[in-house]
Amino acid sequence: MALRKWLPKLALWTGLAICIAFIAWVAWGFLQFDHDIDNPREGGFSGWQCDAGRDCGS
């Protein structure tokens, strides 16, 4: 009987933890993307942002 009381609460807390982890993961991705936009020559971004005819790594 006690398990039936705790199961819905456990499911809600687990869902909340998953939502928080997902939000943190998306926020980290936005921060990484912002860093890559600001620093394209550090090798973390594709060459479309670099000067025409030049490689980002040089």
Side-chain angles (χ1 to χ4, degrees):
M1 286 295 223
L3 182 61
R4 285 189 174 209
K5 267 186 166 178
W6 287 98
L7 197 57
K9 282 187 180 182
L10 179 64
L12 286 174
W13 281 108
T14 303
L16 179 64
I18 290 171
C19 287
I20 290 172
F22 178 74
I23 290 169
W25 178 65
V26 169
W28 179 252
F30 278 125
L31 289 174
Q32 291 296 98
F33 182 71
D34 185 50
H35 179 267
D36 289 344
I37 289 288
D38 290 340
N39 304 297
R41 297 191 192 315
E42 290 184 6
F45 207 59
S46 62
W48 68 267
Q49 191 185 16
C50 298
D51 297 331
R54 300 187 80 197
D55 184 22
C56 279
S58 58

Coordinates of all heavy atoms in Angstrom, one line a residue:
M1 N 0.8 -1.2 0.0 CA 0.0 0.0 0.0 C 0.9 1.3 0.0 O 0.5 2.2 -0.6 CB -0.9 0.0 1.2 CG -2.1 -1.0 1.1 SD -3.1 -0.4 -0.2 CE -4.7 -0.7 0.5
A2 N 2.0 1.2 0.7 CA 2.8 2.4 0.8 C 3.4 2.8 -0.6 O 3.7 3.9 -0.9 CB 3.9 2.3 1.8
L3 N 3.7 1.7 -1.3 CA 4.3 2.0 -2.7 C 3.3 2.7 -3.6 O 3.8 3.6 -4.4 CB 4.6 0.6 -3.3 CG 5.3 0.7 -4.7 CD1 6.6 1.4 -4.5 CD2 5.6 -0.7 -5.2
R4 N 2.0 2.5 -3.5 CA 1.1 3.2 -4.3 C 1.0 4.7 -4.0 O 0.7 5.5 -4.8 CB -0.3 2.6 -4.1 CG -0.5 1.3 -4.8 CD -1.9 0.9 -4.8 NE -2.1 -0.3 -5.6 CZ -3.2 -0.6 -6.3 NH1 -4.2 0.1 -6.1 NH2 -3.2 -1.7 -7.0
K5 N 1.4 5.1 -2.7 CA 1.4 6.5 -2.3 C 2.6 7.2 -2.9 O 2.6 8.3 -3.3 CB 1.4 6.6 -0.8 CG 0.1 6.7 -0.2 CD 0.3 7.0 1.3 CE -0.9 7.5 1.9 NZ -0.8 7.7 3.4
W6 N 3.7 6.5 -2.9 CA 5.0 7.1 -3.3 C 5.3 7.1 -4.8 O 6.0 7.9 -5.3 CB 6.2 6.4 -2.6 CG 6.2 6.8 -1.1 CD1 5.7 6.1 -0.1 CD2 6.8 8.0 -0.6 NE1 5.9 6.7 1.1 CE2 6.6 7.9 0.8 CE3 7.4 9.1 -1.1 CZ2 7.0 8.9 1.6 CZ3 7.8 10.1 -0.3 CH2 7.6 10.0 1.1
L7 N 4.6 6.1 -5.5 CA 4.9 6.0 -6.9 C 4.6 7.2 -7.7 O 5.4 7.7 -8.5 CB 4.2 4.8 -7.5 CG 4.6 4.2 -8.8 CD1 6.1 3.9 -8.8 CD2 3.8 3.0 -9.2
P8 N 3.4 7.9 -7.6 CA 3.1 9.1 -8.3 C 4.1 10.2 -8.0 O 4.5 11.0 -8.9 CB 1.7 9.5 -7.9 CG 1.1 8.2 -7.4 CD 2.2 7.4 -6.8
K9 N 4.4 10.4 -6.7 CA 5.4 11.4 -6.3 C 6.8 11.1 -6.9 O 7.4 12.1 -7.4 CB 5.5 11.5 -4.8 CG 4.4 12.2 -4.2 CD 4.7 12.4 -2.7 CE 3.5 13.2 -2.0 NZ 3.8 13.4 -0.6
L10 N 7.2 9.9 -6.9 CA 8.5 9.5 -7.5 C 8.5 9.8 -9.0 O 9.4 10.3 -9.5 CB 8.8 8.0 -7.2 CG 10.1 7.5 -7.8 CD1 11.2 8.2 -7.1 CD2 10.1 6.0 -7.6
A11 N 7.4 9.5 -9.7 CA 7.3 9.8 -11.1 C 7.4 11.3 -11.4 O 8.0 11.7 -12.3 CB 6.0 9.2 -11.7
L12 N 6.7 12.1 -10.6 CA 6.7 13.5 -10.7 C 8.1 14.1 -10.5 O 8.6 14.9 -11.3 CB 5.7 14.2 -9.8 CG 4.2 14.1 -10.2 CD1 3.3 14.7 -9.2 CD2 4.0 14.7 -11.6
W13 N 8.8 13.7 -9.4 CA 10.1 14.2 -9.1 C 11.1 13.7 -10.2 O 12.0 14.5 -10.6 CB 10.6 13.7 -7.8 CG 10.0 14.5 -6.7 CD1 9.0 14.1 -5.8 CD2 10.3 15.9 -6.3 NE1 8.7 15.2 -5.0 CE2 9.4 16.2 -5.2 CE3 11.2 16.8 -6.8 CZ2 9.5 17.5 -4.7 CZ3 11.2 18.1 -6.3 CH2 10.4 18.4 -5.2
T14 N 10.9 12.5 -10.7 CA 11.8 12.0 -11.8 C 11.6 12.8 -13.0 O 12.6 13.2 -13.7 CB 11.5 10.5 -12.1 OG1 11.7 9.8 -10.9 CG2 12.5 10.0 -13.1
G15 N 10.3 13.1 -13.4 CA 10.1 14.0 -14.5 C 10.6 15.4 -14.4 O 11.2 15.9 -15.3
L16 N 10.5 15.9 -13.2 CA 11.1 17.2 -12.9 C 12.6 17.2 -13.1 O 13.2 18.2 -13.7 CB 10.7 17.7 -11.5 CG 11.2 19.1 -11.1 CD1 10.6 20.2 -11.9 CD2 10.9 19.3 -9.6
A17 N 13.2 16.2 -12.6 CA 14.7 16.1 -12.7 C 15.1 16.0 -14.2 O 16.1 16.6 -14.6 CB 15.2 14.9 -11.9
I18 N 14.4 15.2 -14.9 CA 14.7 15.1 -16.4 C 14.5 16.4 -17.1 O 15.3 16.8 -17.9 CB 13.8 14.0 -17.0 CG1 14.3 12.6 -16.5 CG2 13.8 14.0 -18.5 CD1 13.4 11.5 -16.9
C19 N 13.4 17.2 -16.7 CA 13.2 18.5 -17.4 C 14.3 19.5 -17.0 O 14.8 20.2 -17.9 CB 11.9 19.1 -16.9 SG 10.4 18.3 -17.6
I20 N 14.8 19.5 -15.8 CA 15.8 20.4 -15.4 C 17.1 20.0 -16.1 O 17.9 20.9 -16.6 CB 16.0 20.3 -13.8 CG1 14.8 21.0 -13.2 CG2 17.3 21.0 -13.4 CD1 14.8 20.9 -11.7
A21 N 17.4 18.7 -16.2 CA 18.6 18.2 -16.9 C 18.5 18.6 -18.4 O 19.6 19.1 -19.0 CB 18.8 16.7 -16.8
F22 N 17.4 18.5 -19.0 CA 17.2 18.9 -20.4 C 17.4 20.4 -20.6 O 18.1 20.8 -21.5 CB 15.9 18.5 -20.9 CG 15.6 18.9 -22.4 CD1 16.2 18.2 -23.4 CD2 14.8 19.9 -22.7 CE1 16.0 18.6 -24.7 CE2 14.6 20.3 -24.0 CZ 15.2 19.6 -25.0
I23 N 16.9 21.2 -19.7 CA 17.0 22.7 -19.8 C 18.5 23.0 -19.6 O 19.0 23.9 -20.4 CB 16.1 23.4 -18.8 CG1 14.7 23.2 -19.2 CG2 16.5 24.8 -18.7 CD1 13.7 23.6 -18.1
A24 N 19.2 22.4 -18.7 CA 20.6 22.7 -18.5 C 21.4 22.3 -19.7 O 22.4 23.0 -20.1 CB 21.1 21.9 -17.3
W25 N 21.1 21.1 -20.3 CA 21.8 20.7 -21.5 C 21.6 21.6 -22.7 O 22.6 22.0 -23.4 CB 21.3 19.3 -21.9 CG 21.9 18.7 -23.1 CD1 23.2 18.3 -23.3 CD2 21.2 18.4 -24.3 NE1 23.3 17.8 -24.6 CE2 22.1 17.8 -25.2 CE3 19.9 18.5 -24.7 CZ2 21.8 17.4 -26.5 CZ3 19.5 18.0 -26.0 CH2 20.5 17.5 -26.8
V26 N 20.4 22.1 -22.9 CA 20.1 23.1 -24.0 C 20.8 24.4 -23.7 O 21.4 25.0 -24.6 CB 18.6 23.3 -24.1 CG1 18.3 24.5 -25.0 CG2 17.9 22.0 -24.7
A27 N 20.8 24.9 -22.5 CA 21.5 26.1 -22.1 C 23.0 26.0 -22.4 O 23.6 26.9 -22.9 CB 21.2 26.5 -20.6
W28 N 23.6 24.8 -22.0 CA 25.0 24.6 -22.3 C 25.3 24.6 -23.8 O 26.3 25.2 -24.2 CB 25.4 23.3 -21.7 CG 26.9 23.0 -21.9 CD1 27.4 22.0 -22.7 CD2 28.0 23.6 -21.3 NE1 28.8 22.1 -22.7 CE2 29.2 23.0 -21.8 CE3 28.1 24.6 -20.4 CZ2 30.4 23.4 -21.5 CZ3 29.4 25.0 -20.0 CH2 30.5 24.4 -20.5
G29 N 24.4 24.1 -24.5 CA 24.6 24.1 -26.0 C 24.5 25.5 -26.6 O 25.3 25.9 -27.4
F30 N 23.6 26.3 -26.0 CA 23.6 27.7 -26.5 C 24.9 28.5 -26.1 O 25.4 29.3 -26.9 CB 22.4 28.5 -25.9 CG 21.1 28.2 -26.6 CD1 20.0 27.7 -25.9 CD2 21.0 28.5 -28.0 CE1 18.8 27.5 -26.6 CE2 19.8 28.3 -28.7 CZ 18.7 27.8 -28.0
L31 N 25.4 28.2 -24.9 CA 26.6 28.9 -24.5 C 27.8 28.4 -25.4 O 28.6 29.2 -25.8 CB 26.9 28.5 -23.0 CG 26.0 29.2 -22.0 CD1 26.4 28.7 -20.6 CD2 26.2 30.7 -22.0
Q32 N 27.9 27.1 -25.7 CA 28.9 26.6 -26.6 C 28.8 27.3 -28.0 O 29.8 27.6 -28.6 CB 28.9 25.1 -26.7 CG 29.3 24.4 -25.4 CD 30.7 24.7 -25.0 OE1 31.0 25.6 -24.2 NE2 31.6 24.0 -25.6
F33 N 27.6 27.3 -28.5 CA 27.3 27.9 -29.8 C 27.7 29.4 -29.8 O 28.4 29.9 -30.8 CB 25.9 27.8 -30.2 CG 25.6 28.3 -31.5 CD1 26.0 27.6 -32.7 CD2 24.8 29.5 -31.7 CE1 25.7 28.1 -33.9 CE2 24.5 29.9 -33.0 CZ 25.0 29.3 -34.1
D34 N 27.4 30.1 -28.7 CA 27.8 31.5 -28.7 C 29.3 31.7 -28.7 O 29.8 32.6 -29.3 CB 27.2 32.1 -27.4 CG 27.4 33.6 -27.3 OD1 27.1 34.3 -28.3 OD2 27.9 34.1 -26.3
H35 N 30.0 30.8 -27.9 CA 31.4 30.9 -27.9 C 32.0 30.6 -29.3 O 33.0 31.2 -29.7 CB 32.0 29.9 -26.9 CG 33.5 29.8 -26.8 ND1 34.2 29.0 -27.5 CD2 34.3 30.6 -26.1 CE1 35.5 29.2 -27.3 NE2 35.6 30.2 -26.4
D36 N 31.4 29.6 -30.0 CA 31.9 29.2 -31.3 C 31.7 30.3 -32.3 O 32.5 30.6 -33.2 CB 31.3 27.9 -31.8 CG 31.8 26.7 -31.0 OD1 32.8 26.8 -30.4 OD2 31.1 25.7 -31.1
I37 N 30.6 31.1 -32.2 CA 30.3 32.2 -33.1 C 31.3 33.3 -32.8 O 31.9 33.9 -33.8 CB 28.9 32.8 -32.8 CG1 27.8 31.8 -33.3 CG2 28.7 34.1 -33.4 CD1 27.7 31.7 -34.8
D38 N 31.7 33.6 -31.6 CA 32.6 34.6 -31.3 C 34.1 34.2 -31.6 O 34.9 35.1 -31.8 CB 32.5 35.0 -29.8 CG 31.3 35.7 -29.4 OD1 30.6 36.2 -30.3 OD2 30.9 35.7 -28.2
N39 N 34.4 33.0 -31.6 CA 35.8 32.5 -31.8 C 35.8 31.4 -32.9 O 36.1 30.2 -32.6 CB 36.3 32.0 -30.5 CG 36.3 33.0 -29.4 OD1 36.9 34.0 -29.4 ND2 35.5 32.7 -28.4
P40 N 35.6 31.7 -34.1 CA 35.5 30.7 -35.2 C 36.9 30.0 -35.4 O 36.9 28.9 -35.9 CB 35.0 31.4 -36.4 CG 35.4 32.8 -36.2 CD 35.3 33.1 -34.7
R41 N 37.9 30.7 -35.1 CA 39.3 30.2 -35.5 C 39.8 29.2 -34.5 O 40.9 28.7 -34.6 CB 40.2 31.3 -35.6 CG 39.8 32.3 -36.8 CD 40.9 33.2 -37.1 NE 40.6 34.3 -38.0 CZ 39.9 34.3 -39.1 NH1 39.3 33.2 -39.5 NH2 39.7 35.4 -39.8
E42 N 39.1 28.9 -33.4 CA 39.5 27.9 -32.4 C 39.2 26.5 -32.8 O 39.5 25.6 -32.0 CB 38.9 28.3 -31.0 CG 39.5 29.5 -30.4 CD 39.0 29.8 -29.1 OE1 38.2 29.0 -28.5 OE2 39.3 30.9 -28.5
G43 N 38.6 26.3 -33.9 CA 38.4 24.9 -34.4 C 37.1 24.3 -34.0 O 36.9 23.2 -34.4
G44 N 36.3 25.0 -33.4 CA 35.0 24.4 -32.9 C 33.8 24.8 -33.9 O 32.7 24.5 -33.5
F45 N 34.1 25.4 -35.0 CA 33.0 25.9 -35.8 C 33.4 25.6 -37.3 O 34.5 25.5 -37.6 CB 32.8 27.4 -35.6 CG 31.4 27.8 -35.8 CD1 30.4 27.3 -35.1 CD2 31.2 28.8 -36.8 CE1 29.1 27.8 -35.4 CE2 29.9 29.3 -37.0 CZ 28.9 28.7 -36.3
S46 N 32.4 25.6 -38.1 CA 32.6 25.3 -39.5 C 33.2 26.5 -40.3 O 33.1 27.6 -39.7 CB 31.3 24.8 -40.2 OG 30.3 25.8 -40.1
G47 N 33.6 26.3 -41.5 CA 34.3 27.3 -42.2 C 33.4 28.4 -42.8 O 33.9 29.3 -43.4
W48 N 32.1 28.3 -42.7 CA 31.2 29.3 -43.4 C 31.3 30.6 -42.8 O 31.0 31.6 -43.4 CB 29.7 28.8 -43.4 CG 29.1 28.8 -42.0 CD1 29.0 27.8 -41.2 CD2 28.4 29.9 -41.4 NE1 28.4 28.1 -40.0 CE2 28.0 29.4 -40.1 CE3 28.2 31.2 -41.7 CZ2 27.3 30.2 -39.2 CZ3 27.5 32.0 -40.8 CH2 27.1 31.5 -39.6
Q49 N 31.8 30.7 -41.6 CA 31.9 32.0 -40.9 C 33.3 32.7 -41.2 O 33.4 33.9 -40.9 CB 31.7 31.9 -39.4 CG 31.5 33.2 -38.7 CD 31.5 33.0 -37.2 OE1 31.9 32.0 -36.7 NE2 31.0 34.0 -36.5
C50 N 34.2 32.0 -41.7 CA 35.6 32.6 -41.9 C 35.6 33.4 -43.2 O 34.7 33.4 -44.0 CB 36.6 31.4 -42.0 SG 36.7 30.5 -40.5
D51 N 36.7 34.1 -43.4 CA 36.9 34.9 -44.6 C 36.9 34.0 -45.8 O 37.3 32.9 -45.8 CB 38.2 35.7 -44.5 CG 38.3 36.6 -43.3 OD1 37.2 37.1 -43.0 OD2 39.4 36.9 -42.8
A52 N 36.4 34.6 -46.9 CA 36.3 33.8 -48.2 C 37.7 33.3 -48.6 O 38.6 34.1 -48.6 CB 35.7 34.6 -49.2
G53 N 37.8 32.1 -48.9 CA 39.1 31.6 -49.4 C 40.1 31.2 -48.4 O 41.2 30.8 -48.7
R54 N 39.8 31.4 -47.1 CA 40.7 31.1 -46.0 C 40.1 30.1 -45.1 O 39.0 30.0 -44.9 CB 41.0 32.4 -45.2 CG 41.6 33.5 -46.1 CD 42.0 34.7 -45.2 NE 43.3 34.4 -44.7 CZ 43.8 35.0 -43.6 NH1 43.1 36.0 -43.1 NH2 44.9 34.7 -43.1
D55 N 41.0 29.3 -44.6 CA 40.6 28.2 -43.6 C 40.6 28.8 -42.2 O 41.4 29.7 -41.9 CB 41.7 27.1 -43.7 CG 41.3 26.0 -42.8 OD1 40.0 25.8 -42.5 OD2 42.1 25.2 -42.4
C56 N 39.6 28.4 -41.4 CA 39.5 28.9 -40.1 C 40.7 28.6 -39.2 O 41.0 29.3 -38.3 CB 38.2 28.4 -39.4 SG 36.7 29.2 -39.9
G57 N 41.3 27.5 -39.5 CA 42.4 27.1 -38.7 C 43.7 27.9 -38.9 O 44.6 27.8 -38.1
S58 N 43.8 28.7 -39.9 CA 45.0 29.4 -40.2 C 45.0 30.8 -39.7 O 44.0 31.4 -39.4 CB 45.3 29.4 -41.7 OG 44.3 30.0 -42.4

